[in-house]
Amino acid sequence: MAQISLTFPDGASRDYPKGVTPMEVAASISNSLAKKAISAHVDDAHWDLQWPIEVDAKIALNTLKDEVPALELIRHDLAHIMARAVQEIWPGVKVTIGPVIANGWYYDFDRTEPFTPEDLGAIEKKMKEIINKREPVTTEIWERDRAIAHYQATNEPYKVELIEAIPGDEPLRMYWHGHWQDLCRGPHLQNTGQVPADAFKLMNVAGAYWRGDSNRAMLQRIYAVAFQNKEQLKKHLFMLEEAAKRDHRKLGREMNLFHMQEEAPGQVFWHPNGWSIYTELQDYIRRKQRAGGYQEVNTPQVVDRKLWEQSGHWEKFQESMFIVEVDESRTEDGDNAQNFDERSNDPKHTRINALKPMNCPCHVQIFNQGLKSYRDLPLRMAEFGSCARYEPSGALHGIMRVRGFTQDDGHIFCREDQIEEETAIYIDFLSSIYSDLGFHEFKVKFSDRPEKRAGTDETWDKAEAALLSATRAAGIEPELNPGEGAFYGPKLEFVLTDAIGRDWQCGTHQVDFVLPDRLGADYIGEDGNKHTPVMLHRACLGSFERFIGILIEEHAGKLPFWLAPRQVIVASIVSDADPFVHEIVAALKAKGVRAEADIRNEKINYKVREHSVGKVPVLLAIGQREVEDRTVSVRRLGEKQTKTETLDQIVATLATDAHPPDLRRSADL
RNA sequence: GCUGCUGUAGCUCAGAGGUAGAGCACUCCCUUGGUAAGGGAGAGGUCGAGAGUUCAAUUCUCUCCAGCAGCACCA
């Protein structure tokens, strides 16, 4: 019989008959290893213990202690076990797919009745029964036709469709968990008993479209988490609870930053505290943009459909626009006003406008005023542009995904050969802002040409190369999103992560070959002829709303001092201290510190608790001693220790702390 | 937009076919207290909106609105 040579991680090698399985290899080493083994790595491929090895290879056997393969297999086997449990409880439920995801897995089912939270409990219980049966996991290779016939016979249309979508004619792998059968490429554990029965939890049910296509059936997806042991599961659940405490919607309420209400879904009512963050941030960006060579502009909110038709938004973006009909025959006569509904049906007098969903067309209008020379390029135009988009109701999320928002928008009009340099300048600009705001880690995604696009391949080649080379020059290797670029040009996206790990696109930098041409932008080149500029759409924060949401979650509400809406509370311990409290507040305010007095008839314990919960970074407590010595007792948020300082000292310190990062830097110079 | 769930006092939540309750917050009184909730009293709700069933609906049914989770979307 032919022999093959297998090399172990320690470098030793042994000969085995060709077609030996990792299980047999494990058994040749020791009985206990054969029992503990869960899978192998054969030449770095994750290998089922039952799969034969046909050629010389490196081999490493995995046990439950090997985290990466263990988690992969535990979660994957649990997905099968869950599907089996569901079909045992409710025969006739159709199975689809159930991949492993971060922290666990999900499985999509087709069932008429919705799964209830009680159902999840029943499924979990059944899963534990299955695990405790310790039934073997077995596998076989089937011919395609046999597999299709099997799933037709068992009325599993989704499986049939899956098989039909698998390219080629190669045979397919089947797995059995006990008697329960599923199509699966593997690998799997030896038996169901290798799954820790107390380290998983079914989390929730949600709808999900079959194959991610909103035109197809809506299935029921059960999400679950699983780990190597109970402690890790507990730790994960605890982390989720902690993350929920950072939720910007909850903190926004607790810190009295903003609210939203039914009458204006997806739009923010900023309260004084929240607006303080907003304006502080806006002032900061405004200073940065001025320093970065941008000219700030402002453009109209309500714009005639003619412009949107010209820009292409009317055709491509209409269903996301708020459209406003204005009856121009209206007079100021009160009686007429009551007939608005009737008269607005009269097309003769109705003019159709849209709230701007983007600022770019308006910026081109400004560019188009007066003749532009190549000497004017690159021309960097910025606007804190308030936009309205009719986002699908299901997409709304706190202040992170809204229908009314303000972008720190900017458009750079330049020549094609300036794209790379402008991109480099932008990345540098954005990095400096993110670092000032405490975000040192962010993902960068690069989206290249989509199938349907404007512009020549040559132009795309140049633009893509320019974006990539500028990004790499900044030491960033972007993630590639193939084919995800806009039809008008490639783009870079800068992504930040919220408290529970959801990604949010904030910064963006997009090349646009189309819009300047559509809207008739041009400049006179060195050659004396007219040329169309390239337009770069860019934002750093993205929208103030989303960015502030991220900022709140990132800091769990404990914003950096310069951004904190209430920076200092000066709290009296005895009412005799009230005059000194007012004096301190006045001294701080004179230095630009946001300070407030708290001279309520409450104990200091009460005040400390309340302002700690309210995330005020500094509390100055004033009692009899402080009044006599003209000192303050300083308590910083999160610190138990207090410190006594003189009034002059603390005012000087806090006045410095209150400087935004850019001004602090220039003050140091 | 789709699937499921939810909507009761400012907030967090309980409740039942006969028009409602707790804790915190709020107001007033007592308390002048030294670093995460001192004590007492009081006020506060068209039970998301509309329609239907019923002698009677906040409770049951339907429609709509909004929110939550996920999917789709994010030009």
Side-chain angles (χ1 to χ4, degrees), chain A residues 1-14:
Chain A
M1 185 182 245
Q3 298 278 304
I4 56 168
S5 166
L6 297 180
T7 308
F8 293 91
D10 64 2
S13 51
R14 272 169 79 168

Side-chain angles (χ1 to χ4, degrees), chain A residues 335-486:
Chain A
D335 290 341
N336 262 349
Q338 287 173 0
N339 295 325
F340 176 77
D341 285 341
E342 289 162 38
R343 286 182 297 108
S344 70
N345 288 330
D346 176 359
K348 268 191 308 216
H349 299 296
T350 300
R351 177 166 165 157
I352 296 177
N353 298 278
L355 298 186
K356 69 171 167 185
M358 297 176 191
N359 307 299
C360 28
C362 291
H363 287 186
V364 178
Q365 306 312 305
I366 295 181
F367 181 89
N368 287 352
Q369 294 301 114
L371 276 184
K372 293 291 181 295
S373 146
Y374 70 93
R375 296 174 203 276
D376 295 319
L377 307 185
L379 190 154
R380 307 192 188 100
M381 198 184 285
E383 175 174 3
F384 295 114
S386 290
C387 297
R389 297 182 190 175
Y390 191 81
E391 299 284 1
S393 57
L396 302 178
H397 178 85
I399 64 173
M400 306 267 232
R401 181 85 181 260
V402 285
R403 288 184 177 155
F405 56 96
T406 301
Q407 297 174 310
D408 63 324
D409 202 5
H411 293 97
I412 300 165
F413 296 87
C414 64
R415 297 189 313 257
E416 217 173 283
D417 62 288
Q418 290 172 321
I419 295 176
E420 182 165 345
E421 193 189 348
E422 285 303 312
T423 304
I425 293 172
Y426 163 79
I427 292 175
D428 186 52
F429 185 72
L430 173 127
S431 305
S432 136
I433 289 172
Y434 280 18
S435 131
D436 277 352
L437 294 170
F439 295 97
H440 301 287
E441 304 226 333
F442 50 87
K443 266 191 249 176
V444 181
K445 295 185 181 168
F446 172 65
S447 303
D448 65 7
R449 64 193 78 187
E451 287 198 11
K452 280 176 72 179
R453 58 180 180 265
T456 63
D457 283 355
E458 195 199 349
T459 316
W460 276 87
D461 287 343
K462 279 195 241 164
E464 285 170 1
L467 289 192
L468 269 182
S469 109
T471 314
R472 290 186 177 137
I476 297 167
E477 185 54 42
E479 225 172 85
L480 179 64
N481 269 353
E484 291 294 306

Side-chain angles (χ1 to χ4, degrees), chain A residues 102-357:
Chain A
N103 302 317
W105 79 92
Y106 68 76
Y107 205 109
D108 289 346
F109 297 96
D110 185 2
R111 175 179 182 232
T112 322
E113 293 292 301
F115 289 112
T116 65
E118 294 73 48
D119 290 344
L120 292 191
I123 297 168
E124 260 183 33
K125 201 172 149 219
K126 177 65 84 179
M127 289 171 71
K128 285 178 186 173
E129 284 170 24
I130 294 169
I131 291 168
N132 288 330
K133 284 187 192 165
R134 308 184 64 84
E135 288 179 319
V137 176
T138 54
T139 181
E140 260 178 30
I141 293 198
W142 279 21
E143 292 303 319
R144 259 176 109 86
D145 294 346
R146 182 179 173 201
I148 290 177
H150 167 77
Y151 280 124
Q152 278 167 343
T154 51
N155 193 21
E156 296 283 9
Y158 298 98
K159 289 289 178 186
V160 173
E161 194 180 329
L162 282 175
I163 295 171
E164 283 169 347
I166 296 173
D169 299 324
E170 66 264 40
L172 303 163
R173 190 168 278 285
M174 286 291 175
Y175 267 91
W176 285 261
H177 283 67
H179 63 83
W180 192 79
Q181 177 181 359
D182 198 7
L183 170 79
C184 182
R185 68 170 76 89
H188 276 286
L189 295 166
Q190 284 189 39
N191 64 69
T192 61
Q194 284 187 319
V195 175
D198 57 357
F200 73 92
K201 184 170 162 58
L202 307 192
M203 301 297 284
N204 54 346
V205 189
Y209 296 109
W210 170 236
R211 314 214 106 189
D213 183 344
S214 59
N215 296 314
R216 309 207 54 183
M218 174 68 71
L219 306 170
Q220 293 189 65
R221 174 173 298 177
I222 300 178
Y223 281 92
V225 295
F227 297 89
Q228 283 162 285
N229 55 53
K230 199 175 172 179
E231 285 63 46
Q232 287 176 8
L233 172 67
K234 268 192 176 163
K235 214 171 115 193
H236 178 77
L237 296 177
F238 179 74
M239 214 189 64
L240 288 182
E241 276 174 38
E242 289 303 300
K245 291 182 191 163
R246 303 164 80 102
D247 190 314
H248 75 281
R249 293 165 297 188
K250 182 176 153 72
L251 287 168
R253 208 183 302 115
E254 288 173 1
M255 295 170 68
N256 195 11
L257 302 179
F258 58 81
H259 85 272
M260 304 174 91
Q261 64 187 49
E262 278 194 33
E263 290 80 357
Q267 293 169 90
V268 186
F269 291 79
W270 287 102
H271 296 9
N273 284 344
W275 193 243
S276 164
I277 301 173
Y278 187 112
T279 52
E280 193 67 49
L281 196 57
Q282 188 178 42
D283 291 348
Y284 164 78
I285 295 290
R286 178 171 277 138
R287 288 191 303 271
K288 293 287 283 187
Q289 282 179 344
R290 271 186 201 150
Y294 287 85
Q295 299 173 303
E296 189 176 326
V297 299
N298 196 269
T299 61
Q301 296 295 319
V302 183
V303 178
D304 193 286
R305 74 184 268 183
K306 271 183 278 186
L307 182 66
W308 305 116
E309 281 168 351
Q310 207 188 341
S311 71
H313 289 95
W314 193 257
E315 189 202 346
K316 297 229 175 217
F317 202 65
Q318 189 180 145
E319 57 180 40
S320 298
M321 297 206 283
F322 279 97
I323 294 172
V324 186
E325 292 187 13
V326 181
D327 172 20
E328 300 207 304
S329 70
R330 212 164 0 169
T331 69
E332 296 193 2
D333 184 319
D335 290 341
N336 262 349
Q338 287 173 0
N339 295 325
F340 176 77
D341 285 341
E342 289 162 38
R343 286 182 297 108
S344 70
N345 288 330
D346 176 359
K348 268 191 308 216
H349 299 296
T350 300
R351 177 166 165 157
I352 296 177
N353 298 278
L355 298 186
K356 69 171 167 185

